[in-house]
Amino acid sequence: MATEERTYNFSAGPATIPVQVLEQIQQELLNFNGCGASIMEISHRSAQFIEVLDSARAGIKQLLGIDDSHEVLFLQGGSRLQFSMIPMNLLRDENDRAAYIVSGTWSSKAFEEAKGTGNIDLAWSGKDSNFNTLPASTDLALADDPAFLYYASNETIHGVQFQEDFHIASTPLVCDASSDFLSRPIKMEQHGIVYACAQKNAGPSGVTIIVIRKDLLTRSQASLPGYLNYKTHVEQNSMFNTPPTFGIYVVDLICKWLINEMGGLAQIADYNNDKATLLYDIIDQCDDMFIGHAEKQFRSKMNVTFNLPSEELTSQFLEQAAKQGLTSLKGHRSVGGVRASIYNAMPHEGVVALRDFMKSFYTQNS
Ligand SMILES: Cc1ncc(COP(=O)(O)O)c(C=O)c1O
């Protein structure tokens, strides 16, 4: 049940965090690990913080099933900074080219921003169908030997999600996994970089996790400014500048929650599939009221997007839902409608409550 104290919060990000994790933060806030101060008040070079940093890195590696082949970095600047950092570091010289799949708002922004850094080709665009569908690898227009192929595994605003990883022989994939990171297993061996801002599935805003294959670090030119060079961050153990210590601490707690409470990525993927099915079933059963945006085979398990037949019904839906403790369901301002973000930390009961509300709204209004 949503309670007076806590609603079921369907925010797209910053998003809901597991209650157990919030309780642990609360418990440790005044005195972290016996050190007489909070995690926010101790040096990033202290033994206590280094332990947290190492543990967060180990947790991510364990969850993703990677070892020494990849580095894990904790940076600032959000996912947005990665839009320029990636091509600045991965293009091999000024004649090199990279390929981008544009499948929604976020990959469009990444594509536009990357163009300012070098030669960027459009491999595929879903703009003509208002980003409700995704390509197969055979649909892509690729030049010979691109430096990398960029895609967003889940488009947070449009609610489309790649259901399987691509495999393009010999081209490193670069994945913006901001809104489905740690929500399911991912084939890391096919990826050069997987990155995500934390504020959806992995922690609070302010920390971005970059997982980069080690061999790609040789591409980062010494002429790049320090913060913009991945090699700097690897050499400095994510402490080139003062890292976002509180955010990294929460990422560590969330990794532990995923491993110890939820059983890892295969298990959380099943949990997430079940939750998404509850909502898509009701969308399909009541399709004269709830008009799903994404083509069925590309429906996101994280951001369920749909429209109602009129603005008036949409407002009523959002208002009545909020009264029942189902909050932050408004679609992104650029597309409207409704968006239910059901990341890892959204409990099954929260999605059942939303499904039941949708059923009764349908009965009352159709
Ligand atoms: C898929 C995706 N990429 C990138 C971003 C941008 O993230 P940030 O605001 O941390 O820069 C977002 C934010 O919602 C996102 O959903």
Side-chain angles (χ1 to χ4, degrees), residues 86 90 148-152 172-176 190-195 216:
I86 286 164
L90 294 196
F148 61 92
L149 172 63
Y150 181 102
Y151 75 108
L173 295 177
V174 171
C175 176
D176 174 357
Q190 295 174 11
H191 286 85
I193 292 183
V194 173
Y195 75 96
L216 293 178

Side-chain angles (χ1 to χ4, degrees), residues 77-81 83 106 152 154 156 176 178-179 197 199-200:
S79 284
R80 282 273 183 140
L81 182 59
F83 294 177
W106 290 112
N154 184 67
T156 322
D176 174 357
S178 294
S179 49
C197 47
Q199 67 265 24
K200 296 152 198 308

